[in-house]
Amino acid sequence: MADRDAFVVAGREFGSRLLAGTGKYDSFETMRHALVASGSEIVTVAVRRIDPDSPEGDIADFLPEDVLLLPNTSGCETAEEAVRTARLARAGGLPDWIKLEVIPDPRYLLPDPVETLRAAAELVEDGFTVLPYVLPDPVLQKKLEEVGCATVMPLAAPIGSGRGLKLRDAIRIMVEQAEVPLVVDAGLGAPSHAADAMELGADAVLVNTAIARADDPVAMARAFRLAVEAGRTAFHAGVMDERAEAEASSPLTGSVHRS
């Protein structure tokens, strides 16, 4: 069995390959318990949701100890908005790691590739560690790598859809040519979907809705944790090729035949 290997982003090593979101939970307490159960070491939070003056408490106060808080630019529709949001987050004391989201499409919540690339280049130049959320586009992937992004994060299916790895073929190409970690983000609805992405060779996955909206978010977080570990182990072990025809699992020689 392959050892559980480290996940390295921008020179920083993480033991878990499951990144977690913080939206859609019924309470901060449930969110915290689920994050602990997930084992996630990178937790993403929308910059606009961080409010130290909130009467309900600041979401950051409920995060597990020793996780990397990854601010994201959710709600930004242009490169200018995303860059401004990232800079405000850093000025407010948040880490200079940023999950870059530029989403002008209100129906399917698909990221804008042109504006994402523009924002990524500017933020990298400004000293940020940039993790961009994108459509599964191998050409865009190389351009983001060239400007210095720390990861590339293609969606598996539209955000919150729970449809699984619908864009498998493009993601497979991205896995094969990746020069920075590839994190499958959005659309994973079940632990089996996460295992599928990891078996394909993804370096990590990010999950939010599938955990937060489960009947038991804590148990589901644990299930995703195990699925990611199993999928990574299977990738290292080498998943068998599919066959069009059956093949006996036991040799026919030496078998007992009726006389």
Side-chain angles (χ1 to χ4, degrees):
M1 178 182 294
D3 292 335
R4 184 166 175 265
D5 52 336
F7 171 48
V8 180
V9 180
R12 181 165 174 174
E13 183 176 305
F14 301 92
S16 173
R17 292 176 178 272
L18 173 59
L19 286 66
T22 54
K24 301 184 179 180
Y25 286 95
D26 59 12
S27 69
F28 286 158
E29 288 80 7
T30 300
M31 176 198 74
R32 177 180 173 83
H33 291 311
L35 292 176
V36 171
S38 75
S40 296
E41 297 173 27
I42 303 177
V43 176
T44 183
V45 180
V47 172
R48 55 190 171 81
R49 294 185 63 216
I50 300 175
D51 181 7
D53 300 322
S54 170
E56 300 177 356
D58 184 5
I59 188 173
D61 295 334
F62 291 85
L63 299 179
E65 292 75 19
D66 300 323
V67 300
L68 171 65
L69 174 60
L70 178 62
N72 72 56
T73 61
S74 173
C76 295
E77 299 183 1
T78 66
E80 288 79 5
E81 290 177 3
V83 169
R84 182 168 61 251
T85 298
R87 288 172 175 165
L88 287 172
R90 183 168 63 181
L94 294 177
D96 59 4
W97 287 48
I98 195 79
K99 184 192 174 198
L100 176 60
E101 299 181 19
V102 184
I103 303 176
D105 168 27
R107 182 175 183 184
Y108 295 107
L109 301 178
L110 300 176
D112 183 325
V114 176
E115 293 292 283
T116 298
L117 181 58
R118 284 183 53 211
E122 189 167 347
L123 288 170
V124 169
E125 182 68 21
D126 202 19
F128 283 89
T129 299
V130 181
L131 292 76
Y133 170 66
V134 296
L135 289 161
D137 179 344
V139 175
L140 176 61
Q141 172 192 25
K142 300 315 293 182
K143 293 182 180 297
L144 289 166
E145 290 177 349
E146 288 168 4
V147 301
C149 289
T151 70
V152 178
M153 304 178 70
L155 59 90
I159 294 173
S161 67
R163 297 175 62 195
L165 210 63
K166 295 301 181 184
L167 299 167
R168 168 187 295 274
D169 290 342
I171 292 175
R172 185 189 299 276
I173 295 171
M174 295 179 74
V175 167
E176 290 173 354
Q177 70 175 20
E179 296 183 33
V180 299
L182 185 133
V183 182
V184 174
D185 177 14
L188 303 179
S192 57
H193 297 160
D196 192 14
M198 298 304 294
E199 289 171 10
L200 192 65
D203 293 284
V205 299
L206 192 154
V207 181
N208 186 176
T209 305
I211 295 175
R213 290 305 192 204
D215 292 340
D216 185 340
V218 177
M220 186 61 76
R222 190 176 304 114
F224 267 98
R225 176 180 186 170
L226 295 171
V228 168
E229 293 174 357
R232 183 67 178 179
T233 302
F235 171 71
H236 280 305
V239 178
M240 67 171 286
D241 294 330
E242 293 184 4
R243 293 174 56 88
E245 300 176 355
E247 181 181 11
S249 57
S250 298
L252 298 178
T253 57
S255 58
V256 177
H257 296 281
R258 180 179 298 176
S259 59

